[in-house]
Amino acid sequence: MRVLVTGGAGYIGSHTTLALLQAGHEVLVVDDLSNASEESLRRVAALAGRTPAFIQANVRDEAALDAAFEGFTPDAVIHFAGWKAVGESTQIPLTYYRENLGSTFTLLEAMAKHDCHRIVFSSSATVYGEMSEPPFTEDAPTGATNPYGRTKHMIEQILADAVAADPGLAVGVLRYFNPIGAHSSGRIGEDPKGIPNNLLPFVAQVAAGRRDKLMVFGDDYPTPDGTGTRDYIHVVDLATGHLAALDKLADRSGYHVWNLGTGRPTSVLEIVGAFEKASGITVPYEIAPRRAGDVASSYAHPGKANAELGWSATHTIDEMCADTFRWQSANPNGYADA
Ligand code: UDP
């Protein structure tokens, strides 16, 4: 199949591009490299033994997208491209709305124009917020508490409206829990710019000596050890979830939502312990106040994806930490070392 991947040079996009190539699909990546490096695609090509086509463009660029569809004639689209930092989204909300909503409009219009009817969208478990108790099923109430989350929630609704107007459209909304880890080769991984917001990149940089210590945001949550629990999922499992969703949408039009998670909650302190075990390095930490906007616990009920997609996450927390450590050790400054 021919798959156009927006944001394909980024963290999840690069791992999914690799999985697509390894499964024998043709891939065109459209990425403006605003938060990614072309080096990730060079490494994907080396790992796959095949080079994905690449166009450097913002997905909101109608002319560029039109040319991409015209030249590549995709059978399906995976839409990763988007701005993703919660804190930043509260500072520059209009940028988030413009980029995340605008790219989706441009993409859906290009798909309609070029007779492409299948799209998988990167949504987030953030849409479950604190409206119900985990484990979250796909029919749990949804909403959002910050501009980033609102863009994800709005795009889900926009996609549902697009399907209502065009029942031939096949939409798969994938609600990611917490992607961590890296490809087992250590060649591709997460390369955050500046100070990492997310737990694993921060822990990895503490272990690498780039940062003094981890701040553990809150130890007074109603969880077994008081620290927040999340459903961490290996990025390679996440990638294979996209392939499973694309396959399912080949014989099933309409609007479908699937959680991609393991169903298992892991606390911040459990992550620290697992990372120390995987790396052999002590990770100094300090208990700090809760971070604004954080929920105590978030984890998936992955049963719908398991049953409908024939997919399940297979990697353990220990493997996720070992792969993160391998990537971080081999690339202390991410792709900038290349
Ligand atoms: N966390 C932490 N210190 C950090 C970053 C994150 O204690 O420097 C905690 C955070 O409070 C949450 C968990 O780690 O309980 C996962 O946070 P992350 O930002 O990775 O993902 P989120 O679930 O918030 O999207």
Side-chain angles (χ1 to χ4, degrees):
M1 153 177 37
R2 304 173 65 76
V3 188
L4 188 153
V5 180
T6 77
Y11 174 44
I12 304 171
S14 58
H15 287 82
T16 304
T17 296
L18 176 58
L20 286 164
L21 292 172
Q22 287 175 328
H25 301 297
E26 300 299 320
V27 181
L28 168 63
V29 169
V30 179
D31 196 308
D32 66 1
L33 303 181
S34 58
N35 189 28
S37 162
E38 202 176 345
E39 176 64 12
S40 71
L41 294 179
R42 284 190 279 274
R43 295 188 184 187
V44 163
L47 289 166
R50 238 149 46 81
T51 304
F54 172 57
I55 293 177
Q56 183 174 351
N58 187 296
V59 181
R60 290 191 299 110
D61 180 340
E62 287 173 31
L65 215 57
D66 198 48
F69 274 81
E70 188 74 36
F72 185 69
T73 58
D75 302 303
V77 169
I78 305 181
H79 185 27
F80 291 108
W83 290 48
K84 61 173 187 178
V86 172
E88 182 184 59
S89 80
T90 65
Q91 306 296 317
I92 49 169
L94 299 187
T95 302
Y96 273 69
Y97 291 118
R98 184 185 66 229
E99 293 293 331
N100 292 2
L101 300 183
S103 61
T104 305
F105 296 144
T106 308
L107 189 58
L108 288 172
E109 282 165 358
M111 286 174 64
K113 180 173 169 194
H114 294 275
D115 225 19
C116 177
H117 307 288
R118 211 182 330 167
I119 178 170
V120 169
F121 173 63
S122 301
S123 190
S124 166
T126 193
V127 300
Y128 294 121
E130 264 181 328
M131 277 154 288
S132 61
E133 289 297 310
F136 299 117
T137 55
E138 287 82 352
D139 55 9
T142 56
T145 55
N146 58 72
Y148 158 76
R150 267 189 281 282
T151 67
K152 293 294 180 191
H153 193 231
M154 286 176 187
I155 293 167
E156 290 195 358
Q157 294 169 314
I158 290 162
L159 290 167
D161 287 342
V163 167
D166 174 7
L169 202 55
V171 172
V173 165
L174 302 182
R175 292 187 183 144
Y176 308 157
F177 280 74
N178 287 61
I180 63 169
H183 189 261
S184 59
S185 64
R187 296 292 291 158
I188 57 172
E190 186 169 13
D191 183 19
K193 289 209 168 87
I195 301 172
N197 293 307
N198 295 113
L199 180 62
L200 257 289
F202 203 101
V203 167
Q205 291 192 5
V206 172
R210 276 177 73 183
R211 317 219 170 257
D212 287 350
K213 61 183 171 208
L214 170 72
M215 302 306 246
V216 174
F217 298 141
D219 69 347
D220 56 352
Y221 284 110
T223 59
D225 66 17
T227 64
T229 63
R230 296 289 183 272
D231 186 340
Y232 297 95
I233 175 171
H234 196 293
V235 64
V236 170
D237 282 330
L238 203 64
T240 60
H242 290 73
L243 273 67
L246 278 182
D247 281 348
K248 176 51 72 177
L249 295 175
D251 59 27
R252 212 202 250 203
S253 59
Y255 177 80
H256 307 281
V257 182
W258 293 293
N259 285 337
L260 294 186
T262 67
R264 287 185 298 276
T266 302
S267 76
V268 176
L269 293 182
E270 285 173 325
I271 288 286
V272 169
F275 198 90
E276 288 182 334
K277 190 170 108 189
S279 64
I281 297 171
T282 301
V283 176
Y285 68 84
E286 187 177 305
I287 304 297
R290 292 181 179 191
R291 183 171 64 179
D294 273 358
V295 299
S297 180
S298 172
Y299 57 100
H301 192 306
K304 186 165 182 261
N306 298 163
E308 294 185 2
L309 302 181
W311 167 92
S312 58
T314 61
H315 292 79
T316 62
I317 289 286
D318 289 347
E319 290 168 322
M320 300 179 212
C321 289
D323 287 340
T324 299
F325 180 61
R326 188 177 302 108
W327 153 253
Q328 175 70 43
S329 313
N331 308 271
N333 301 301
Y335 295 116
D337 289 333

